[in-house]
Amino acid sequence: MQIGKDTTLRLTLIDDSGEDAEAVVSALRNGGIAVRPLRPLDADELAQALKGAQPMDLVLASRSATGIPLATVLSQVDASGKDIPVIVLADAVNENDLITDLAAGARAVAVRGHHDHLIQVLRREWSDLDARRALRRLEGQLRETERRCDALISSSRDPIAYIHEGMHIRANDAYMEMFGFESFEDVEGLSLLDLVAPQYVNDFKALLKKLSKGEPPPSRYELEARSLEGEQFPATLDFATATYEGEPCVQVVFRRREEFDPELAREVEALRQRDQATGLLNRATFLRELEDAVSQVAAGAGQYALLLVEPDHYQRLIHDIGIDSADDFAAALAARLGEKLDDRAIPARFGERTFAVLLRGDHNDTATLSEKLRAAFASHLFNVGERSVSVTVSMGGVQIGEKIASVAQVLKRATDSLQAASSLGGNRIEVFDPGAVDRAEEERVQSWIKRIREALAGNGFQLHYQPVVSLHGEPGQLYEALLRLEGNGETVAPQAFLGIAEEHGLLDDIDRWVVQRAIEVLAERKRAGHDTRLIVKVSPASFADSRLLQLIAQQLALHDVPGNRLWLETPEAKVFTHLRQAQEFQGGASKLGCQVGLEHFGAGLDSFQLLSHFQPAFLKIDRAFTEDLGKTPELQQKLREIAERAQSLGILTVAEHVQDAATMSFLYTAAVDYVEGNFLATPGPAMNYDFG
């Protein structure tokens, strides 16, 4: 898992200096890690935090701290019984201190001031913690699954037993009824050989010896069984490896042969394994094939690759041919896929529009077949109903190797490769090759840079709008303007490209485009008789760039728009690290009548400390406070404190990410001025919210 992208790191900092702690938080955020920090000031606060309902991910403790000494931190974390790694923050590292810290329970040591090293250590410890948490979840799920399986086995009409070293350790009611036992006590510890007809005993004994040596059981075995009363009957045994109460064993399913119709069973099994629309293997069956292939590769017994195939611009194609023809379209794609594969490949329908192919061979074989498939689709005209359409496909593949010999890793690599192929325009192949990863990433980045520049030059960007509603009936309309990138019939959120834009100096260009378009929209709304204000995001890249303020002044005058209708917001953490430039920008914007505010407020260690140096007109409270607000009293109290303190300073407050009625009900009782979130309305290209 990548911290800062999919999750927020809940980090507890132990440091005597608030400024040093804030510097660490800023460094982490600048490094792309989303942090929710906590800084207890004494041992009692630390103890309360460890007991609290909010989970704690990592502790970063200064070795030189005196308010809460390192030894106290380590002992309290250990006494909590929770899996919380402690990382020691040291001014320098020497052998004795390192050995002492690790022996006392610390997981790692990071050097103060070396932010790259600190981020590397945090990411490693988070990854290890996430793996341990995942293992515990899996163990819990396994126990629950075993419990449910045991209940199903008990109620199953199939006679089922568990055998360990040839002896019965478990049998269900159907099994005991078949052989004439009244209770499990009668069969417990009984050898399976006692239920086999004499003429089959020697061969079956040899089979049991093979099983005891760890050899895999046969999938099916035929013999004559013998009941408790000596009645013999033909039976078929199905074997499977299993565990029972943590011990390895063999599951045996007995069936009377006259009750077993092999031909019917094969037909039923074949239907169960296939996708009805395409005739290909379904996802569940294919995953079992993939698991077998991954196991073989891990054991050094073969070479395989996974290839995912998707038609480009699927939504547009479905719109053209009609949703009622979607299954026919999938069948046509599957037929073309099957025509070009040989017996080394196993195709399957993996999703609504995704096909999967398991290939036997090396990387060159995979690349050759992939190109063959790509060309086969691009050169073919598909007849679907009364329509004929041409289709190109994107393909993402991965050569299964020892370093990625798990199903989850293989699927992730293949999915990432497929997304990369699609994002680069489609009709292309991306097969994971460790030697080519850097080249592919650079190509992806350059493709995004080109796309961003084309959007800036040709109005490829759009603004979507989400209403921001006053809780106190303030007149007028307030919306937040949200940037979107349009292309190939898709709408892309800024999270996909802003990081690349920032790394390549394009954020200030994007800021100017957004602000200019926002002022144009405000002018249109004014001419239509609407009293509309817009909240627009501004990045630190524009703080020291006078061009944005010049553009605002020029456009406000050109369109006769009052400055107070334009609200500019920037992240609290960015103002901390660009304070002087932010102050100058705020001064210039205020002269034009614009409101300047902070977003993600409250995410810092002492957010109100910033207000002694920077006086915003409004605060947008960080969404971390509203995500679980209805269930978490601690968050309710802190949000109320932020709102009341801001009110006392004459600063407006906005609570964003309002997703449910419980959160909305609480906010009505707090001192919050405005609310925003999908519970009220989702963002869209039109301003049509009824402010009432």
Side-chain angles (χ1 to χ4, degrees), residues 576-637:
F576 256 119
T577 54
H578 301 79
L579 183 57
R580 184 178 59 80
Q581 297 96 324
Q583 290 170 332
E584 293 175 356
F585 178 82
Q586 183 194 32
S590 298
K591 291 178 182 178
L592 299 173
C594 301
Q595 307 283 345
V596 179
L598 298 174
E599 65 172 337
H600 306 315
F601 189 80
L605 286 170
D606 189 0
S607 298
F608 276 96
Q609 178 186 359
L610 177 62
L611 302 187
S612 60
H613 307 285
F614 188 88
Q615 291 79 40
F618 64 95
L619 302 175
K620 184 183 286 185
I621 301 170
D622 189 74
R623 65 173 53 195
F625 292 96
T626 52
E627 283 180 345
D628 297 311
L629 187 63
K631 303 175 183 177
T632 312
E634 293 92 337
L635 291 179
Q636 294 177 5
Q637 179 60 29

Side-chain angles (χ1 to χ4, degrees), residues 468-482:
V468 182
V469 179
S470 171
L471 292 178
H472 307 297
E474 291 294 324
Q477 304 172 354
L478 178 62
Y479 288 91
E480 179 169 9
L482 301 169

Side-chain angles (χ1 to χ4, degrees), residues 97-150:
D97 287 341
L98 178 62
I99 293 173
T100 300
D101 292 342
L102 296 180
R107 298 280 305 192
V109 176
V111 181
R112 189 188 296 277
H114 293 263
H115 294 152
D116 290 343
H117 178 244
L118 172 61
I119 291 171
Q120 183 181 24
V121 170
L122 279 173
R123 290 189 184 278
R124 185 184 67 238
E125 291 303 322
W126 171 258
S127 178
D128 290 348
L129 176 64
D130 186 60
R132 294 195 299 275
R133 287 174 172 173
L135 178 60
R136 288 193 289 269
R137 287 194 299 269
L138 289 173
E139 288 173 343
Q141 292 169 4
L142 177 61
R143 288 191 295 271
E144 178 63 18
T145 301
E146 288 177 339
R147 185 189 66 78
R148 293 183 180 182
C149 287
D150 193 57

